[in-house]
Amino acid sequence: MFPSICQQQPYATLFPRIDTTVQAVNAHQAPALTAEIATRNGWTPDFGLSDSDILRICIELIAYSQQAQARRVQELINGGIFKKVFLNYDVHAVANLQHDQLYAQYWNQIGAIRFPSKLDAMIGCAQALLRIKNQHPSFMSFLLASNIPVTVKSQSDIEAFWREFAALQQYLCHVQMPFFNNLTSLCHLLMTLGYDCAKPDSAVMSAAVNLGIVSIGGTPKKPIYTDRKRKDVVMTMQVYCICRSLRVTVLDVYLLICGGQTGARHLVNSRFYQRT
């Protein structure tokens, strides 16, 4: 804990607004929210995950990206189509797939992911994992060696997190890892793996603007969020969670709800979105 920072500006003004938002969600929660919070509280890195596991996670996160409807993507995942398309996530086999072949055979089934270019990125992840394999026993062993703090409990932890995050991002650029060499998707990956991080996507950023964490760029209909602003949002979430003894992964779901993400709307009753 570092209570002094909790009383500093802008946190002393900002955090009560986040408190109010959390309380509003709790007052309108559906039963599914309790289960979701319990699940997210239990997220912790499994450094024994195979590269096949990592490829599956990367493919699913890419599917969710770029404002694809979370509910429709979840239906695809639950239906097992990605496991079929990507050959049970065999890294060597996926690395040799061809975009045109996948598009011709499967796009009519997986078009909910929105952009055909994602197929190239999914194949590219397998190819990047093989490059990492040439230097490390596995992706997770490499991640363990990166020394990114799994949990952030102090200001120094946050500083270490972002220092090692930058080094990880640079390495992923070096091995030509698509998607996850950028800030938003790398945050999403680390959060999914169990680190104290959040994905600063459009829903989270919309909630952050409404809370006054950052200002909007562009226009309300076409907002522009720089990586600096996205990082500021995640850092603010990390500080808040230290001050309130909350997991960042849990605060993430509150902001997804407030931002109106399609995959999170079922976690509250309809009256939440009817508030004035």
Side-chain angles (χ1 to χ4, degrees):
M1 285 284 189
F2 51 104
S4 61
I5 197 171
C6 304
Q7 302 303 319
Q8 294 174 7
Q9 292 297 344
Y11 302 130
T13 302
L14 173 61
F15 287 178
R17 293 202 295 271
I18 301 177
D19 292 338
T20 299
T21 296
V22 169
Q23 291 162 8
V25 170
N26 288 338
H28 294 85
Q29 66 178 289
L33 180 59
T34 300
E36 181 69 19
I37 289 173
T39 297
R40 286 172 175 252
N41 271 322
W43 285 356
T44 188
D46 177 358
F47 293 105
L49 289 176
S50 69
D51 284 348
S52 176
D53 295 320
I54 296 302
L55 179 59
R56 173 186 59 79
I57 292 169
C58 288
I59 286 171
E60 291 178 357
L61 296 188
I62 290 172
Y64 278 115
S65 69
Q66 296 179 319
Q67 299 185 336
Q69 287 194 18
R71 178 183 54 81
R72 295 186 64 193
V73 172
Q74 188 62 56
E75 289 170 355
L76 292 177
I77 293 170
N78 292 344
I81 185 64
F82 292 130
K83 183 176 181 180
K84 178 181 178 181
V85 173
F86 294 101
L87 309 174
N88 203 30
Y89 308 109
D90 181 294
V91 178
H92 284 87
V94 174
N96 289 312
L97 289 174
Q98 299 297 318
H99 170 277
D100 291 347
Q101 171 197 356
L102 294 186
Y103 182 84
Q105 190 170 357
Y106 294 111
W107 187 252
N108 65 335
Q109 299 177 58
I110 63 173
I113 69 175
R114 295 194 68 205
F115 299 110
S117 59
K118 289 183 178 182
L119 298 174
D120 284 320
M122 292 165 174
I123 295 168
C125 284
Q127 295 168 345
L129 286 170
L130 291 179
R131 295 185 191 102
I132 295 171
K133 183 76 171 177
N134 288 333
Q135 301 172 345
H136 304 274
S138 68
F139 177 86
M140 289 305 293
S141 66
F142 158 67
L143 194 58
L144 177 61
S146 72
N147 293 321
I148 297 177
V150 172
T151 58
V152 290
K153 299 180 179 180
S154 67
Q155 187 171 10
S156 61
D157 285 343
I158 293 177
E159 292 168 356
F161 180 94
W162 289 104
R163 182 176 63 250
E164 299 303 331
F165 182 99
L168 172 61
Q169 188 176 14
Q170 184 177 25
Y171 178 77
L172 293 180
C173 287
H174 173 71
V175 297
Q176 301 173 53
M177 173 69 86
F179 263 79
F180 301 100
N181 57 16
N182 73 62
L183 185 139
T184 300
S185 292
L186 183 52
C187 284
H188 197 186
L189 178 60
L190 290 176
M191 179 187 73
T192 302
L193 291 175
Y195 286 79
D196 273 348
C197 192
K199 179 194 178 189
D201 63 5
S202 57
V204 167
M205 294 302 292
S206 175
V209 168
N210 289 336
L211 287 165
I213 297 175
V214 291
S215 59
I216 194 170
T219 65
K221 289 187 176 181
K222 291 186 177 181
I224 297 172
Y225 303 119
T226 63
D227 278 357
R228 177 68 257 179
K229 287 189 176 184
R230 293 179 191 274
K231 180 179 176 182
D232 285 347
V233 167
V234 179
M235 289 181 69
T236 299
M237 293 171 69
Q238 290 172 326
V239 176
Y240 176 86
C241 287
I242 291 171
C243 296
R244 297 296 189 265
S245 299
L246 192 70
R247 286 294 306 273
V248 181
T249 51
V250 172
L251 180 59
D252 174 76
V253 79
Y254 282 96
L255 295 194
L256 288 177
I257 291 168
C258 293
Q261 193 217 46
T262 59
R265 282 180 168 265
H266 71 287
L267 299 174
V268 289
N269 59 50
S270 59
R271 293 188 300 276
F272 177 79
Y273 293 107
Q274 295 168 359
R275 297 172 305 139
T276 56

